[in-house]
Amino acid sequence: MPIRVFSAAIALGLGLTLAASGASAAPAVSDVAAVTTASAETNVAVMAPMTVPAGNGGILDAETLAEYTEPLGLLTRQLDAVAGKPVAIAIDPMILASIRVLGTSAPESARSWLERLSLISNDVVPLPYAHADVTLATQSGLESTPEPISFDFALDEANFAEAETDAAEPAPTATADPLDDAVTTITGYPTTEQLLDWDYAIDGFLRPRTDTVIASDLTAFTESGFSTIVLSSTNVSRKTGAGAVTTIDGVTALISDATASAAMDNALGSTLDRDVTAADTALSQAVLDAGAAQTAGTASVLIAIDHSLEVSSARLDAALATLTASPSITMISLTELASGTPTAATIADMPQSESRIGDVTRLFNAARAERSFFSVAEDPDSLAAERRLALLDVLGTMPTEDPSDWLTQVNRFLVDSRDLRNAVTVVEASNFLLVADNGYLPVSVSNDLNQAVTVYITVDPRTGLLAVGDELVELRIEANSQAKGEIPVQSLSNGVVDVEISLTSSNGTTIGSTTVSEINVQAGWETPIVLSFAAIVFVIFAVGLVRSIVRRRKPEDD
């Protein structure tokens, strides 16, 4: 027994070393626990997630990307674990967009990582952007799954300057590749479609969170263009003996076996030698049992590794070796599994909790209020696009045993939303004194947004002491600055009057809260003051004139 433990320790240490360098450390078949032979051949496809933690606002910055793609970084470890193995990669498109949006300023390690991803043989399929829990949206009343609007706000012209590069001329004796003497020209910004684009193995692919789908979600999925979805076997009802490929209301549904998937998660999470051996054996047996329960000549089993589990290269190699050790199990690609003959199935509703739906409803209400507020901005779409990514990031928060993680993200979004909608406000001022019959009421407006805004000022007196000459006064305020608008008013009587000052956008949306200011109106003071001043001037002029005449009439000898 001590020798066996010692050997396992050496193998595990070697596996971790090779994993760090990107190599495979699959155990020899002879080291794998014995497995039984099923009565039917069983094809097995495995799918693993490639994600990063939430809390990044829906887009990764250069520093974070550099950290994740360094030799022992999170994304590097994930790619090392699955590259070149019979495992489909379900990747978060946010990772792709975050690297591409930086253009030439993207970290070299991130660009190399992206190139390496493009060269591997694995099937690659997309997860929802930011790994968002899409059924939280669809079950909150959204008619389609939420997607990014645009990335234009994050693009820097300096990183996408026009450039021309001439390839080196081929040697005279060599056969020239027609691409060798082509001129590559890069012009303009990449589009949102280009930033998100990838040669995915299955078009219209969607993997919602496990056990969260209800029948009505399918309509929203199809409206969003999804035609192939992954569901857990606990989330569907199938005929006895059905395989992993089904159709539900015209949508292809790939059914992951809940028991086999849980066994894979347990095998990947095992650490001690005895636990690893038992977990690998249980995994193989779960797959064989799933295959034996099917009536087709060749059974099909899909294993979906849990979203929250980081895959270890050494442990994955050991689990795959255990499966392939059985003569009844054949590892196939996800696309090969998806091409199988489907059987009919229905959704076994597993709705999201009422508390989470309530939280998401608050998020969507805040997002709608933001869109109305952004109508004051010079470029409202860029503000909305940035906030959409932040919303998707919150929806990507992983459920944990501690609900405070989710509530923290929700409350942070709501606080940021409130602050945004209060970014354009009337600057509070001291009371005004109006001594003229006609004059202007100065109103200062502050803009804390990073772009210019245009608002319309409305002044509404609460009494009849004051009349306003213009109901809406347009005012433009540059980014992160203040500007002053002048509202024409007319005093009708003496007294103190409270006026309500409010702001609206071009479409009538109320901006900020109404401010109340006090104006001391002294009607009719303008005319007496002017007449008094004129009388004083007249008296001075008259006195001067009389003195001049008197001096002229006075005898010279006096």
Side-chain angles (χ1 to χ4, degrees):
M1 185 65 174
I3 296 177
R4 182 180 177 187
V5 174
F6 179 70
S7 300
I10 294 176
L12 180 59
L14 178 60
L16 293 174
T17 303
L18 294 174
S21 63
S24 175
V29 174
S30 59
D31 294 334
V32 179
V35 293
T36 59
T37 302
S39 58
E41 295 294 324
T42 303
N43 290 336
V44 178
V46 178
M47 179 170 55
M50 185 170 288
T51 62
V52 297
N56 46 61
I59 192 167
L60 305 174
D61 58 28
E63 182 179 357
T64 303
L65 282 170
E67 176 185 346
Y68 284 162
T69 56
E70 63 183 7
L72 293 178
L74 174 63
L75 288 175
T76 300
R77 297 197 307 270
Q78 292 184 19
L79 189 53
D80 288 344
V82 297
K85 300 170 186 177
V87 177
I89 298 172
I91 190 171
D92 182 352
M94 179 185 67
I95 300 169
L96 310 177
S98 297
I99 298 173
R100 290 167 168 168
V101 80
L102 293 173
T104 56
S105 68
E108 182 62 33
S109 61
R111 286 186 282 175
S112 298
W113 182 92
L114 189 61
E115 181 179 5
R116 181 186 172 198
L117 178 68
S118 69
L119 297 175
I120 62 175
S121 59
N122 305 60
D123 282 347
V124 179
V125 290
L127 290 170
Y129 189 92
H131 198 198
D133 194 342
V134 292
T135 57
L136 281 174
T138 56
Q139 292 174 32
S140 298
L142 210 63
E143 296 180 353
S144 60
T145 58
E147 301 288 344
I149 298 173
S150 169
F151 296 91
D152 291 351
F153 71 91
L155 297 173
D156 187 341
E157 182 180 1
N159 298 328
F160 297 93
E162 182 174 337
E164 291 188 357
T165 304
D166 292 319
E169 294 183 1
T173 57
T175 301
D177 188 317
L179 296 179
D180 283 345
D181 50 9
V183 176
T184 302
T185 304
I186 303 173
T187 58
Y189 291 142
T191 64
T192 298
E193 291 74 18
Q194 290 171 330
L195 292 172
L196 294 172
D197 182 60
W198 195 263
D199 186 17
Y200 291 118
I202 299 177
D203 294 330
F205 182 90
L206 175 66
R207 183 188 176 185
R209 296 287 176 88
T210 302
D211 293 338
T212 63
V213 178
I214 61 177
S216 60
D217 292 330
L218 285 183
T219 301
F221 294 163
T222 54
E223 287 292 326
S224 301
F226 297 112
S227 55
T228 300
I229 62 175
V230 174
L231 299 173
S232 172
S233 57
T234 52
N235 206 168
V236 296
S237 296
R238 295 177 291 174
K239 293 181 179 179
T240 302
V245 184
T246 67
T247 57
I248 304 175
D249 295 336
V251 177
T252 299
L254 306 180
I255 311 303
S256 63
D257 187 274
T259 302
S261 297
M264 172 64 87
D265 294 340
N266 188 39
L268 295 177
S270 300
T271 53
L272 298 176
D273 179 60
R274 60 180 180 274
D275 294 339
V276 168
T277 302
D280 286 347
T281 302
L283 168 62
S284 182
Q285 193 60 55
V287 170
L288 293 173
D289 290 345
Q294 299 179 25
T295 57
T298 301
S300 57
V301 176
L302 173 60
I303 295 176
I305 297 174
D306 187 77
H307 292 91
S308 61
L309 188 65
E310 182 184 344
V311 178
S312 160
S313 181
R315 290 299 309 120
L316 179 61
D317 287 343
L320 294 176
T322 301
L323 292 175
T324 55
S326 171
S328 301
I329 295 177
T330 302
M331 303 301 300
I332 63 173
S333 67
L334 184 64
T335 51
E336 187 176 351
L337 180 138
S339 65
T341 303
T343 58
T346 57
I347 299 289
D349 287 352
M350 299 190 74
Q352 297 273 4
S353 69
E354 292 184 4
S355 62
R356 283 172 70 84
I357 292 297
D359 292 335
V360 172
T361 299
R362 293 163 58 205
L363 294 175
F364 286 167
N365 288 340
R368 280 189 284 268
E370 289 173 9
R371 289 301 298 264
S372 296
F373 165 74
F374 291 153
S375 60
V376 302
E378 191 172 55
D379 183 9
D381 289 342
S382 67
L383 294 173
E386 186 171 5
R387 289 298 289 166
R388 171 62 63 82
L389 297 187
L391 176 61
L392 291 171
D393 181 47
V394 177
L395 295 179
T397 304
M398 292 296 298
T400 62
E401 295 180 358
D402 184 0
S404 62
D405 292 341
W406 163 255
L407 293 176
T408 297
Q409 295 297 328
V410 169
N411 290 331
R412 180 179 293 126
F413 182 92
L414 294 175
V415 169
D416 290 345
S417 178
R418 180 198 62 195
D419 292 344
L420 265 176
R421 286 177 279 133
N422 289 329
V424 179
T425 58
V426 175
V427 178
E428 293 187 7
S430 57
N431 298 337
F432 299 99
L433 174 64
L434 182 64
V435 296
D437 287 338
N438 296 283
Y440 291 92
L441 178 65
V443 176
S444 295
V445 180
S446 173
N447 172 28
D448 291 335
L449 294 177
N450 59 5
Q451 57 175 274
V453 301
T454 299
V455 298
Y456 294 85
I457 306 173
T458 297
V459 173
D460 184 16
R462 290 180 172 177
T463 67
L465 300 180
L466 192 71
V468 178
D470 195 343
E471 293 184 355
L472 292 175
V473 174
E474 181 178 336
L475 179 65
R476 176 183 170 86
I477 312 105
E478 296 300 324
N480 299 305
S481 64
Q482 291 186 13
K484 183 180 294 184
E486 294 186 334
I487 291 79
V489 294
Q490 180 183 10
S491 58
L492 303 178
S493 181
N494 294 339
V496 176
V497 57
D498 290 335
V499 295
E500 297 179 353
I501 304 173
S502 58
L503 305 176
T504 57
S505 67
S506 58
N507 63 7
T509 299
T510 300
I511 305 301
S513 57
T514 299
T515 300
V516 179
S517 293
E518 186 179 277
I519 299 179
N520 188 358
V521 180
Q522 299 299 323
W525 278 36
E526 182 184 29
T527 301
I529 291 175
V530 172
L531 291 176
S532 299
F533 180 76
I536 293 173
V537 172
F538 176 78
V539 170
I540 294 174
F541 177 77
V543 170
L545 180 62
V546 170
R547 291 181 62 186
S548 297
I549 294 175
V550 170
R551 285 180 178 178
R552 289 179 180 179
R553 290 180 177 180
K554 191 174 183 179
E556 293 182 359
D557 56 357
D558 289 349

